[in-house]
Amino acid sequence: MTLFHTTAHGLLSKFSPVKPFGAVFMVTHRCNARCAMCNLWQSDEKDTPIEVFLELVKNPLFSNLVNVAITGGELTLRTDLEPLFHALLENCPKLASINLSSNAFLPDRLVELVDGLDRLRREKGSEFKIIVQISLDGPGQIHDTIRGVPGGFEKVESAVARLKERFKDNSQVEIHHLCVLQPSNIDSLG
């Protein structure tokens, strides 16, 4: 579906303006990791009020959104994302996926967030995929060193195990891993 939309978007945009079919919402600069490759966690920038995102989603320009990514910093640090999920479902009828990018250092909050989004998806009768993208930069101590959080690898393992158990019979929830390739982990991957 995405390849089709990308191709159609490219062809149509040569002749007239077209609405975007994908969007990334960076909902926070706050982060509970201290990553070696990122200084976002040092930012003192305040979170954009959720109302700003709600107004964006309600704009007819975004009515053709198919794929949405919600990221940060660490998205689980926000406790007010439910209105954004509602707005996406109400205003984006073509929605095929919502990607949630997380470091999974708050396993309880991540499971709660995915569970709430899945419950809303079912209540609205929507078939979009929930794709949970969890950062994992290597085994054990390598991940902890890169992410700057002792015990971070174990938190990721816990979150993944809980998500897999909770959604084992739910084909609409997928769990993926993301990795930042760098000299400190390149030899440990594979």
Side-chain angles (χ1 to χ4, degrees):
M1 185 172 217
T2 300
L3 179 59
F4 170 77
H5 284 96
T6 302
T7 303
H9 189 273
L11 291 172
L12 292 173
S13 66
K14 295 180 188 293
F15 304 104
S16 68
V18 293
K19 295 177 180 181
F21 66 90
V24 176
F25 293 95
M26 186 170 177
V27 295
T28 186
H29 284 83
R30 292 179 291 143
C31 192
N32 54 353
R34 301 296 178 253
C35 298
M37 67 289 198
C38 174
N39 64 359
L40 189 62
W41 57 272
Q42 296 173 332
S43 172
D44 59 357
E45 189 169 331
K46 301 286 186 216
D47 287 349
T48 301
I50 199 70
E51 292 77 18
V52 172
F53 296 110
L54 300 180
E55 287 305 312
L56 281 172
V57 171
K58 291 175 185 174
N59 185 317
L61 176 66
F62 296 102
S63 63
N64 286 340
L65 288 180
V66 175
N67 301 301
V68 172
I70 300 176
T71 187
E74 175 50 37
L75 69 95
T76 60
L77 295 175
R78 283 206 74 150
T79 58
D80 60 351
L81 293 176
E82 188 173 330
L84 176 57
F85 298 152
H86 278 277
L88 286 166
L89 286 173
E90 291 169 10
N91 296 284
C92 306
K94 298 178 182 180
L95 197 61
S97 70
I98 294 180
N99 300 323
L100 304 173
S101 296
S102 176
N103 60 31
F105 290 165
L106 296 172
D108 292 340
R109 176 69 183 127
L110 182 58
V111 172
E112 173 188 300
L113 190 67
V114 176
D115 196 46
L117 180 55
D118 184 55
R119 187 172 37 255
L120 179 62
R121 179 193 64 74
R122 285 182 280 115
E123 287 171 4
K124 299 289 185 178
S126 180
E127 291 297 319
F128 71 86
K129 293 260 186 198
I130 300 170
I131 301 170
V132 186
Q133 298 176 316
I134 297 177
S135 302
L136 184 60
D137 296 308
Q141 188 58 44
I142 292 172
H143 180 75
D144 291 1
T145 300
I146 289 172
R147 293 289 164 165
V149 176
F153 182 79
E154 286 80 18
K155 291 177 183 180
V156 169
E157 284 187 314
S158 171
V160 170
R162 291 176 59 195
L163 287 166
K164 283 184 175 180
E165 176 60 27
R166 171 69 182 90
F167 298 104
K168 66 183 174 191
D169 298 323
N170 187 335
S171 63
Q172 297 307 113
V173 177
E174 297 179 4
I175 302 162
H176 298 195
H177 290 290
L178 299 176
C179 177
V180 178
L181 296 176
Q182 50 196 302
S184 58
N185 68 358
I186 196 74
D187 292 330
S188 67
L189 302 172

